[in-house]
Amino acid sequence: MQAVIQTKKLGKRYGSFWALENCDISVPEGSVSALVGPNGAGKSTLLKLLVGLKSASSGEISVLGKEPVQHADFLGDIGYLAQDIPLYKNLDATEHLKMGVNLNKRFDAEFMGKRLKDLQIPLDRPVGKLSGGQRAQVALALALAKKPKLLLLDEPVAALDPLARHDFLSSLSQAVADGGLTVVMSSHLLADLERVSDHIVVLASGRTQLCDDIETVLKEHKILIGPRKDERELGEGLTVIHETHTARQSTLLTRVVKGAKVPSDWQQHEPNIEEIILAYMGQGNEGVVR
Amino acid sequence: MNWFLWRQHRKNFLVIGILLALYTALVIPTGLHFWHTYQHALTACAQNPADPNCSEPQLGLFQSSTDQLLFHLLPVTILFLPIVLGIFWGAPLLAREYAEGTNGLVWTQGTSRHKWLTVKLTWVLVATAVFIGVFAALMTWWSNTPNTLNMDRFNDVFFSSQGILPVAYALFAVTSGIMFGAWFKKTMVAAGVTLGLFIALALIAVPNFVRPHYMAPVTVVAQMGPAAVDSKIPEGANWLLSRNIINQNGEVVQDIFSSAPAQCQKIIQQMQIGTSAGGNRVKAVPGGGDSIDACLNKAGWHQIATFQPSYRYWDFQRIEAGIYLALTVLAVGATYLLVLRRDA
């Protein structure tokens, strides 16, 4: 699979503060990638760098084979939903559709119109007066009607109630199922991401902590439980991500590279993706693990 | 993207359209009325030159408070239009996009930011120039009568409210509003700074400290005596910058009576005594005004006036419009830098 997004040592600095530093990610074509990390980890910054709304301070960045630029050809292939889903509040859904036609060379107005109708969104009411869920659907329809190759979503479901969230994610899954679309979506709601994504990027403190297929991630991580042991050297191919200790027992969330042997004195358990993500998110400044 | 821009700004067009209609409804009838009244008075004076009104500079016309109010209010109104546009159209133009995050929406559509900005600025600036151009044309036509009667279209608010200047002011006010909007990303801040800058520049600094120096003023020197200096200034709408009495040391005199040289003080006292005694007037000196003037002339006093002659009116209009258009270009350039080079 080809990488739609590839960054190398990507960095973004605001004054003396590095919001993103040495960020290496790779997102394969056709994947739905979950971008997770604590507040201030640099998720929004990364997404804005990818769509060219911000420019990088250091490192390399390649999106759809190009460096992000303020150019119609580049932007035409990308759908982007900013945080808080900004729309023109006094314009109605139909007018947003017309805007899409106005501002894009390639825009499937019919698709958007049908989609809004199917979702029973009031077409002639200013979007400022729609519910949060309806607004999110209008924004998603607008982004999808561009027929983008890459869709970048910055916490699209954060403000939505559970039902609206469910509807939004269903719409998204359906669009992905139609094919030809790669999605990167940031969120705090791990359970939701797990439902729709097959790839994961964990950012913490401006650095990539994890970037891989969810399947691989699940396969390569084990919870090891054994007698108390403070040193973290377990052997070749084993990296401890997170450890908890009681007086007599150590619990280690460990990355086990394919083929590596786990010492027989450890009990092995399968962690779920949420446990793994939380372990990486807590890792913070302890260095990049890939 | 023309439909989209029209949709975003049609309210502004509507409001300006209404203002223009109201203005036209006020300007056309009053302008016609003033002009006809003036023509009528001219005809009457030609037939009956003895009428005392005909010797008045304004032919005794338009002395009512309503007329005087109109004469001053309408030019002031048009002077404030540019700043109204700058605050209500220029400042929110980009600031609101930044504040509501819609810049992230519109800049990720399949249109480059550069093109989006260019089309938007072109629309807004052309519309501003056309709208204010109509206002200015109306005002220039309307001012014909007061110009003729007062002969002061070169002065203050009358200068700024006619010709091509209102258009230049408006372009400057709107673009600086747009630029500050992009800079501060907040409408209120941008509007405040735009207002402050416009007042400081267009209402205070330029008319008082810059405009008089566009071209070296003409200086006329005359002896002491009533109307001696005025008679050397050609007729017409000149812009009088200064008129002073200069003493023998080349200093500007504030009070003639207290600073007159000793030999003239006597005559002054004599005159004062004479007049207070009643009837015993100071004897006139032939050919040199009265004896005080003759004395002062002898002492080396004279009068100096500086002014910008009326034929420079359009030069001044062009120079000042040029300054504001240059500032407009600067503001547009800065806006491009702010929008294209800065992170969203």
Side-chain angles (χ1 to χ4, degrees):
Chain A
M1 271 197 295
Q2 221 187 332
V4 169
I5 297 171
Q6 185 89 52
T7 70
K8 267 188 204 139
K9 293 191 179 292
L10 182 64
K12 179 65 190 177
R13 190 165 52 100
Y14 301 112
S16 61
F17 169 70
W18 287 88
L20 208 62
E21 200 175 4
N22 285 329
C23 177
D24 295 344
I25 66 163
S26 170
V27 173
E29 193 178 340
S31 67
V32 177
S33 206
L35 180 59
V36 296
N39 287 327
K43 302 188 294 292
S44 292
T45 299
L46 175 61
L47 290 172
K48 283 183 174 172
L49 286 168
L50 294 175
V51 74
L53 282 175
K54 288 184 186 296
S55 53
S57 309
S58 67
E60 289 168 34
I61 179 165
S62 160
V63 176
L64 298 167
K66 294 171 205 151
E67 204 174 318
V69 281
Q70 300 166 18
H71 194 281
D73 291 341
F74 174 76
L75 292 168
D77 284 338
I78 299 183
Y80 171 73
L81 255 65
Q83 215 166 351
D84 305 327
I85 314 173
L87 290 170
Y88 289 98
K89 284 191 193 116
N90 54 340
L91 267 58
D92 63 33
T94 310
E95 288 170 327
H96 276 87
L97 186 154
K98 278 190 176 177
M99 177 192 82
V101 175
N102 252 228
L103 295 177
N104 292 285
K105 274 186 213 150
R106 186 183 66 220
F107 191 86
D108 195 338
E110 210 176 311
F111 165 87
M112 181 173 172
K114 185 174 179 302
R115 193 176 179 89
L116 294 176
K117 213 173 138 199
D118 290 348
L119 293 162
Q120 296 177 329
I121 309 253
L123 294 177
D124 51 1
R125 196 182 303 169
V127 295
K129 290 183 178 158
L130 298 180
S131 72
Q134 288 172 324
R135 268 205 300 277
Q137 289 287 9
V138 172
L140 181 65
L142 185 64
L144 288 174
K146 285 170 82 179
K147 299 290 165 193
K149 292 176 182 153
L150 173 64
L151 187 59
L152 303 171
L153 309 169
D154 196 353
E155 300 196 20
V157 294
L160 305 186
D161 63 59
L163 185 63
R165 205 156 73 215
H166 176 269
D167 290 345
F168 182 91
L169 292 174
S170 304
S171 301
L172 184 64
S173 303
Q174 183 203 329
V176 172
D178 293 343
L181 184 63
T182 307
V183 180
V184 178
M185 174 164 72
S186 77
S187 178
H188 286 304
L189 300 154
L190 301 180
D192 287 338
L193 291 173
E194 197 181 345
R195 231 185 74 208
V196 291
S197 45
D198 51 23
H199 187 266
I200 182 124
V201 178
V202 180
L203 285 186
S205 306
R207 288 162 184 266
T208 321
Q209 307 296 340
L210 177 70
C211 177
D212 218 332
D213 283 342
I214 288 185
E215 210 177 311
T216 315
V217 168
L218 285 173
K219 215 180 284 174
E220 289 192 350
H221 287 82
K222 302 280 182 236
I223 294 175
L224 304 182
I225 301 173
R228 167 114 200 192
K229 198 173 181 184
D230 287 330
E231 53 173 299
R232 293 178 57 170
E233 289 305 315
L234 290 176
E236 191 78 12
L238 300 178
T239 318
V240 176
I241 308 301
H242 186 78
E243 53 195 312
T244 45
H245 301 284
T246 60
R248 295 171 54 199
Q249 178 176 288
S250 289
T251 306
L252 310 176
L253 196 139
T254 311
R255 181 161 202 170
V256 184
V257 177
K258 202 176 170 188
K261 286 250 162 54
V262 178
S264 54
D265 51 341
W266 292 94
Q267 241 184 312
Q268 290 190 36
H269 294 275
E270 303 293 330
N272 63 28
I273 192 72
E274 208 166 324
E275 287 172 303
I276 300 172
I277 291 170
L278 286 172
Y280 276 97
M281 273 169 63
Q283 233 192 7
N285 292 322
E286 292 167 38
V288 180
V289 181
R290 287 212 64 204
Chain B
M1 60 185 291
N2 291 325
W3 173 84
F4 177 53
L5 283 171
W6 163 247
R7 176 63 190 84
Q8 273 193 303
H9 299 294
R10 63 183 185 190
K11 244 185 209 156
N12 301 80
F13 283 84
L14 186 69
V15 171
I16 302 172
I18 291 172
L19 283 180
L20 193 55
L22 289 175
Y23 199 72
T24 311
L26 189 62
V27 162
I28 298 274
T30 56
L32 286 174
H33 165 70
F34 287 149
W35 182 246
H36 284 148
T37 310
Y38 175 57
Q39 293 301 325
H40 203 77
L42 281 182
T43 322
C45 281
Q47 283 165 359
N48 183 18
D51 188 327
N53 276 338
C54 296
S55 57
E56 296 270 318
Q58 303 198 358
L59 305 176
L61 297 172
F62 314 125
Q63 298 303 316
S64 79
S65 55
T66 322
D67 289 345
Q68 286 299 317
L69 184 70
L70 274 175
F71 272 16
H72 290 89
L73 190 68
L74 279 182
V76 169
T77 312
I78 197 168
L79 207 55
F80 277 94
L81 260 182
I83 190 57
V84 168
L85 283 191
I87 288 174
F88 291 104
W89 203 8
L93 194 82
L94 297 179
R96 190 177 292 154
E97 303 264 1
Y98 279 105
E100 297 192 355
T102 44
N103 61 333
L105 174 70
V106 76
W107 294 348
T108 52
Q109 302 297 313
T111 300
S112 72
R113 226 184 281 182
H114 185 275
K115 187 186 167 191
W116 172 82
L117 184 61
T118 304
V119 176
K120 204 173 180 79
L121 287 179
T122 309
W123 259 77
V124 172
L125 295 187
V126 167
T128 300
V130 169
F131 272 126
I132 301 297
V134 176
F135 275 101
L138 278 170
M139 193 62 217
T140 308
W141 169 80
W142 181 90
S143 301
N144 201 5
T145 311
N147 284 346
T148 315
L149 285 173
N150 302 337
M151 296 200 299
D152 57 1
R153 67 167 181 172
F154 213 153
N155 278 280
D156 299 332
V157 73
F158 303 103
F159 181 72
S160 307
S161 59
Q162 300 177 36
I164 51 177
L165 276 179
V167 177
Y169 293 148
L171 288 175
F172 166 69
V174 170
T175 43
S176 56
I178 293 172
M179 179 194 70
F180 288 127
W183 186 346
F184 299 113
K185 304 184 178 182
K186 288 190 179 87
T187 303
M188 291 308 283
V189 180
V193 176
T194 306
L195 177 67
L197 179 69
F198 190 82
I199 288 176
L201 206 61
L203 300 186
I204 299 172
V206 170
N208 292 313
F209 308 115
V210 185
R211 192 184 295 156
H213 307 294
Y214 292 158
M215 297 169 97
V218 174
T219 306
V220 287
V221 182
Q223 290 204 318
M224 301 301 293
V229 77
D230 290 336
S231 66
K232 296 202 169 184
I233 300 175
E235 286 236 334
N238 301 299
W239 181 20
L240 191 66
L241 298 175
S242 70
R243 185 163 56 187
N244 288 309
I245 293 170
I246 311 292
N247 68 11
Q248 66 276 15
N249 303 321
E251 296 153 356
V252 173
V253 174
Q254 302 298 340
D255 180 8
I256 300 176
F257 297 109
S258 62
S259 54
Q263 67 269 30
C264 303
Q265 289 283 0
K266 261 189 220 161
I267 307 175
I268 290 168
Q269 276 164 15
Q270 212 177 11
M271 184 184 79
Q272 283 169 337
I273 293 161
T275 45
S276 64
N280 194 11
R281 274 189 57 91
V282 180
K283 226 200 299 178
V285 178
D290 63 24
S291 53
I292 299 175
D293 285 328
C295 178
L296 290 172
N297 277 327
K298 216 165 149 194
W301 285 38
H302 57 278
Q303 301 186 75
I304 285 185
T306 58
F307 66 98
Q308 298 289 356
S310 60
Y311 60 81
R312 288 183 180 171
Y313 176 78
W314 282 106
D315 288 331
F316 269 59
Q317 283 263 330
R318 274 190 287 272
I319 292 168
E320 186 154 326
I323 290 173
Y324 282 97
L325 290 181
L327 291 173
T328 301
V329 170
L330 278 182
V332 168
T335 305
Y336 269 98
L337 284 182
L338 287 167
V339 169
L340 301 183
R341 295 286 170 82
R342 203 174 45 167
D343 283 349

